[in-house]
Amino acid sequence: MSWKNMVQDDFTPEHDRNASQNEGDSVSSVDAVAEPVAEDMRTPRERAMEIFRTRSYEGESLRMGQVLRRVRETLGLTIEGISADTRLRKDYLMWIERMEVGDLPGGGYLSAILNTYARYLNLPEKDVIRAYTQECGGVEDVRHDAPVPKIGGIAPDRPKWPLAVAAALVLALMGAGAVGLSQFMRQEPELAPAPAVVAVNGARESLFSGTDASQRPVPKNLPLELHAVRQGWLEVRGADGTIFRSRTMAPGESYFPRLNAGWTVSARDGGAFEWRVGDLTVGPLGPEGAEVFSVSVDEQLPRAAEAAAPAMAANGGNKASR
């Protein structure tokens, strides 16, 4: 064997091995770089629509307000820019994304703002409005969004006043018949009630005993509050429809509605909330596990005043103790 052949036998395999290894490293490096490049091939619109379809971002489930924010950020848009283009106030857009609808004006503004915002983001407006209002409790905003009737079920609206007139006549005839039958069946004149002995209790049970609940005076500055005994959704509306609170309240959280202002309260579980005056429990908002709608705050005042009367008397009649 010649020296030249020995040199090839000793060094050529090693050179080949190094070359193969370098080539393999190059392939591995290309593969490692190729994966993130493939991830970046999606357009911002495709990533935004995926967020809207899945209602999630990086494994976190999102409410519709958060979906709108993530879509906006993915598209590289700012609240300032959207406000300038749509003429919507910046604080309205921020409240929409935070789902703080109680700060928005009433009268259908929620649906109008959602429709404009979704159209600007190129999202289906009706789907956004329906999901958003269901999550925040603003179901009144989608009551008129009725489904399209099926083929064959479309017919012109018929006037309803003939049915109302007929029903009124039937009720009038039934009432007249009941009165006549009661007069016919009466055989003896009614006897005046005999005087009864009434026991008088010198120590009155409360400051308002002996008077009707609706006629009892309501103390000023009565600290009537709605207290969440467990987690539950609550909505508080003003007399003009303005939403002052519409969200899920945590256990132990309280809300003080305005008194003598015509406010109403709705909840998905009446047993999750109770009326309180200080540390005194007046009663539950509604039945356990049942939905309650438009419960008058002012109608709770006589009952709350009666419950708080002993404590108020002990404090000089000013307010219930805490």
PDB file of all heavy atoms in Angstrom, residues 3-19:
ATOM      1  N   TRP A   3       1.877   5.326   0.271  1.00  0.00           N
ATOM      2  CA  TRP A   3       1.624   6.386   1.290  1.00  0.00           C
ATOM      3  C   TRP A   3       0.403   7.194   0.930  1.00  0.00           C
ATOM      4  O   TRP A   3      -0.363   7.595   1.766  1.00  0.00           O
ATOM      5  CB  TRP A   3       2.864   7.282   1.342  1.00  0.00           C
ATOM      6  CG  TRP A   3       2.690   8.391   2.341  1.00  0.00           C
ATOM      7  CD1 TRP A   3       2.892   8.338   3.668  1.00  0.00           C
ATOM      8  CD2 TRP A   3       2.271   9.707   2.038  1.00  0.00           C
ATOM      9  NE1 TRP A   3       2.637   9.515   4.257  1.00  0.00           N
ATOM     10  CE2 TRP A   3       2.244  10.411   3.258  1.00  0.00           C
ATOM     11  CE3 TRP A   3       1.938  10.378   0.858  1.00  0.00           C
ATOM     12  CZ2 TRP A   3       1.889  11.740   3.319  1.00  0.00           C
ATOM     13  CZ3 TRP A   3       1.578  11.693   0.951  1.00  0.00           C
ATOM     14  CH2 TRP A   3       1.546  12.365   2.162  1.00  0.00           C
ATOM     15  N   LYS A   4       0.214   7.388  -0.366  1.00  0.00           N
ATOM     16  CA  LYS A   4      -0.962   8.152  -0.809  1.00  0.00           C
ATOM     17  C   LYS A   4      -2.243   7.432  -0.456  1.00  0.00           C
ATOM     18  O   LYS A   4      -3.199   8.033   0.029  1.00  0.00           O
ATOM     19  CB  LYS A   4      -0.876   8.389  -2.312  1.00  0.00           C
ATOM     20  CG  LYS A   4      -2.013   9.210  -2.848  1.00  0.00           C
ATOM     21  CD  LYS A   4      -1.823   9.447  -4.343  1.00  0.00           C
ATOM     22  CE  LYS A   4      -2.959  10.312  -4.868  1.00  0.00           C
ATOM     23  NZ  LYS A   4      -2.825  10.577  -6.322  1.00  0.00           N
ATOM     24  N   ASN A   5      -2.244   6.100  -0.675  1.00  0.00           N
ATOM     25  CA  ASN A   5      -3.447   5.335  -0.310  1.00  0.00           C
ATOM     26  C   ASN A   5      -3.676   5.362   1.193  1.00  0.00           C
ATOM     27  O   ASN A   5      -4.811   5.397   1.668  1.00  0.00           O
ATOM     28  CB  ASN A   5      -3.319   3.897  -0.800  1.00  0.00           C
ATOM     29  CG  ASN A   5      -3.363   3.811  -2.327  1.00  0.00           C
ATOM     30  OD1 ASN A   5      -3.921   4.698  -2.968  1.00  0.00           O
ATOM     31  ND2 ASN A   5      -2.778   2.756  -2.874  1.00  0.00           N
ATOM     32  N   MET A   6      -2.604   5.308   1.989  1.00  0.00           N
ATOM     33  CA  MET A   6      -2.743   5.356   3.443  1.00  0.00           C
ATOM     34  C   MET A   6      -3.332   6.682   3.878  1.00  0.00           C
ATOM     35  O   MET A   6      -4.155   6.742   4.787  1.00  0.00           O
ATOM     36  CB  MET A   6      -1.376   5.145   4.115  1.00  0.00           C
ATOM     37  CG  MET A   6      -0.845   3.722   3.944  1.00  0.00           C
ATOM     38  SD  MET A   6       0.761   3.521   4.708  1.00  0.00           S
ATOM     39  CE  MET A   6       0.370   3.852   6.384  1.00  0.00           C
ATOM     40  N   VAL A   7      -2.917   7.738   3.221  1.00  0.00           N
ATOM     41  CA  VAL A   7      -3.458   9.037   3.602  1.00  0.00           C
ATOM     42  C   VAL A   7      -4.937   9.093   3.298  1.00  0.00           C
ATOM     43  O   VAL A   7      -5.736   9.560   4.099  1.00  0.00           O
ATOM     44  CB  VAL A   7      -2.705  10.148   2.853  1.00  0.00           C
ATOM     45  CG1 VAL A   7      -3.405  11.492   3.052  1.00  0.00           C
ATOM     46  CG2 VAL A   7      -1.270  10.209   3.311  1.00  0.00           C
ATOM     47  N   GLN A   8      -5.356   8.557   2.172  1.00  0.00           N
ATOM     48  CA  GLN A   8      -6.786   8.560   1.848  1.00  0.00           C
ATOM     49  C   GLN A   8      -7.566   7.681   2.797  1.00  0.00           C
ATOM     50  O   GLN A   8      -8.652   8.026   3.231  1.00  0.00           O
ATOM     51  CB  GLN A   8      -6.975   8.079   0.409  1.00  0.00           C
ATOM     52  CG  GLN A   8      -6.457   9.067  -0.627  1.00  0.00           C
ATOM     53  CD  GLN A   8      -6.646   8.544  -2.053  1.00  0.00           C
ATOM     54  OE1 GLN A   8      -6.975   7.366  -2.235  1.00  0.00           O
ATOM     55  NE2 GLN A   8      -6.406   9.405  -3.038  1.00  0.00           N
ATOM     56  N   ASP A   9      -6.996   6.507   3.168  1.00  0.00           N
ATOM     57  CA  ASP A   9      -7.716   5.603   4.070  1.00  0.00           C
ATOM     58  C   ASP A   9      -7.837   6.189   5.463  1.00  0.00           C
ATOM     59  O   ASP A   9      -8.816   5.967   6.166  1.00  0.00           O
ATOM     60  CB  ASP A   9      -6.998   4.262   4.137  1.00  0.00           C
ATOM     61  CG  ASP A   9      -7.088   3.518   2.806  1.00  0.00           C
ATOM     62  OD1 ASP A   9      -8.006   3.888   2.000  1.00  0.00           O
ATOM     63  OD2 ASP A   9      -6.276   2.634   2.582  1.00  0.00           O
ATOM     64  N   ASP A  10      -6.823   6.958   5.901  1.00  0.00           N
ATOM     65  CA  ASP A  10      -6.838   7.488   7.264  1.00  0.00           C
ATOM     66  C   ASP A  10      -7.679   8.755   7.386  1.00  0.00           C
ATOM     67  O   ASP A  10      -8.315   8.968   8.404  1.00  0.00           O
ATOM     68  CB  ASP A  10      -5.401   7.776   7.729  1.00  0.00           C
ATOM     69  CG  ASP A  10      -4.603   6.494   7.888  1.00  0.00           C
ATOM     70  OD1 ASP A  10      -5.253   5.423   8.026  1.00  0.00           O
ATOM     71  OD2 ASP A  10      -3.380   6.580   7.868  1.00  0.00           O
ATOM     72  N   PHE A  11      -7.700   9.597   6.402  1.00  0.00           N
ATOM     73  CA  PHE A  11      -8.297  10.913   6.547  1.00  0.00           C
ATOM     74  C   PHE A  11      -9.605  11.086   5.802  1.00  0.00           C
ATOM     75  O   PHE A  11     -10.444  11.867   6.205  1.00  0.00           O
ATOM     76  CB  PHE A  11      -7.308  11.997   6.078  1.00  0.00           C
ATOM     77  CG  PHE A  11      -6.105  12.109   6.946  1.00  0.00           C
ATOM     78  CD1 PHE A  11      -4.917  11.468   6.605  1.00  0.00           C
ATOM     79  CD2 PHE A  11      -6.140  12.842   8.106  1.00  0.00           C
ATOM     80  CE1 PHE A  11      -3.806  11.585   7.403  1.00  0.00           C
ATOM     81  CE2 PHE A  11      -5.037  12.959   8.907  1.00  0.00           C
ATOM     82  CZ  PHE A  11      -3.860  12.324   8.577  1.00  0.00           C
ATOM     83  N   THR A  12      -9.773  10.371   4.738  1.00  0.00           N
ATOM     84  CA  THR A  12     -10.994  10.561   3.956  1.00  0.00           C
ATOM     85  C   THR A  12     -12.248  10.189   4.736  1.00  0.00           C
ATOM     86  O   THR A  12     -13.231  10.947   4.752  1.00  0.00           O
ATOM     87  CB  THR A  12     -10.921   9.755   2.656  1.00  0.00           C
ATOM     88  OG1 THR A  12      -9.811  10.201   1.910  1.00  0.00           O
ATOM     89  CG2 THR A  12     -12.209   9.944   1.844  1.00  0.00           C
ATOM     90  N   PRO A  13     -12.309   9.059   5.429  1.00  0.00           N
ATOM     91  CA  PRO A  13     -13.532   8.747   6.223  1.00  0.00           C
ATOM     92  C   PRO A  13     -13.826   9.803   7.263  1.00  0.00           C
ATOM     93  O   PRO A  13     -14.970  10.164   7.488  1.00  0.00           O
ATOM     94  CB  PRO A  13     -13.207   7.398   6.859  1.00  0.00           C
ATOM     95  CG  PRO A  13     -12.160   6.809   5.971  1.00  0.00           C
ATOM     96  CD  PRO A  13     -11.334   7.954   5.472  1.00  0.00           C
ATOM     97  N   GLU A  14     -12.789  10.279   7.941  1.00  0.00           N
ATOM     98  CA  GLU A  14     -13.022  11.305   8.967  1.00  0.00           C
ATOM     99  C   GLU A  14     -13.581  12.569   8.339  1.00  0.00           C
ATOM    100  O   GLU A  14     -14.488  13.205   8.859  1.00  0.00           O
ATOM    101  CB  GLU A  14     -11.691  11.607   9.675  1.00  0.00           C
ATOM    102  CG  GLU A  14     -11.794  12.623  10.799  1.00  0.00           C
ATOM    103  CD  GLU A  14     -12.573  12.072  11.966  1.00  0.00           C
ATOM    104  OE1 GLU A  14     -12.638  10.815  12.085  1.00  0.00           O
ATOM    105  OE2 GLU A  14     -13.133  12.863  12.750  1.00  0.00           O
ATOM    106  N   HIS A  15     -13.037  12.920   7.168  1.00  0.00           N
ATOM    107  CA  HIS A  15     -13.530  14.107   6.461  1.00  0.00           C
ATOM    108  C   HIS A  15     -14.980  13.920   6.055  1.00  0.00           C
ATOM    109  O   HIS A  15     -15.807  14.829   6.161  1.00  0.00           O
ATOM    110  CB  HIS A  15     -12.638  14.371   5.252  1.00  0.00           C
ATOM    111  CG  HIS A  15     -13.088  15.550   4.434  1.00  0.00           C
ATOM    112  ND1 HIS A  15     -13.998  15.419   3.406  1.00  0.00           N
ATOM    113  CD2 HIS A  15     -12.771  16.863   4.525  1.00  0.00           C
ATOM    114  CE1 HIS A  15     -14.217  16.602   2.880  1.00  0.00           C
ATOM    115  NE2 HIS A  15     -13.475  17.508   3.544  1.00  0.00           N
ATOM    116  N   ASP A  16     -15.285  12.695   5.603  1.00  0.00           N
ATOM    117  CA  ASP A  16     -16.674  12.420   5.208  1.00  0.00           C
ATOM    118  C   ASP A  16     -17.608  12.500   6.404  1.00  0.00           C
ATOM    119  O   ASP A  16     -18.737  13.000   6.296  1.00  0.00           O
ATOM    120  CB  ASP A  16     -16.768  11.041   4.551  1.00  0.00           C
ATOM    121  CG  ASP A  16     -16.018  10.994   3.226  1.00  0.00           C
ATOM    122  OD1 ASP A  16     -15.780  12.089   2.677  1.00  0.00           O
ATOM    123  OD2 ASP A  16     -15.698   9.876   2.772  1.00  0.00           O
ATOM    124  N   ARG A  17     -17.152  11.966   7.521  1.00  0.00           N
ATOM    125  CA  ARG A  17     -18.007  12.015   8.715  1.00  0.00           C
ATOM    126  C   ARG A  17     -18.258  13.451   9.142  1.00  0.00           C
ATOM    127  O   ARG A  17     -19.368  13.827   9.497  1.00  0.00           O
ATOM    128  CB  ARG A  17     -17.367  11.210   9.856  1.00  0.00           C
ATOM    129  CG  ARG A  17     -17.444   9.691   9.652  1.00  0.00           C
ATOM    130  CD  ARG A  17     -17.165   8.972  10.962  1.00  0.00           C
ATOM    131  NE  ARG A  17     -15.822   9.276  11.461  1.00  0.00           N
ATOM    132  CZ  ARG A  17     -14.733   8.553  11.133  1.00  0.00           C
ATOM    133  NH1 ARG A  17     -14.829   7.535  10.298  1.00  0.00           N
ATOM    134  NH2 ARG A  17     -13.557   8.861  11.631  1.00  0.00           N
ATOM    135  N   ASN A  18     -17.237  14.274   9.126  1.00  0.00           N
ATOM    136  CA  ASN A  18     -17.415  15.674   9.502  1.00  0.00           C
ATOM    137  C   ASN A  18     -18.341  16.384   8.550  1.00  0.00           C
ATOM    138  O   ASN A  18     -19.190  17.190   8.942  1.00  0.00           O
ATOM    139  CB  ASN A  18     -16.057  16.391   9.542  1.00  0.00           C
ATOM    140  CG  ASN A  18     -15.172  15.873  10.672  1.00  0.00           C
ATOM    141  OD1 ASN A  18     -15.693  15.319  11.648  1.00  0.00           O
ATOM    142  ND2 ASN A  18     -13.868  16.049  10.539  1.00  0.00           N
ATOM    143  N   ALA A  19     -18.155  16.070   7.250  1.00  0.00           N
ATOM    144  CA  ALA A  19     -19.023  16.724   6.263  1.00  0.00           C
ATOM    145  C   ALA A  19     -20.466  16.299   6.454  1.00  0.00           C
ATOM    146  O   ALA A  19     -21.399  17.105   6.373  1.00  0.00           O
ATOM    147  CB  ALA A  19     -18.541  16.384   4.846  1.00  0.00           C
TER     148      ALA A  19
END
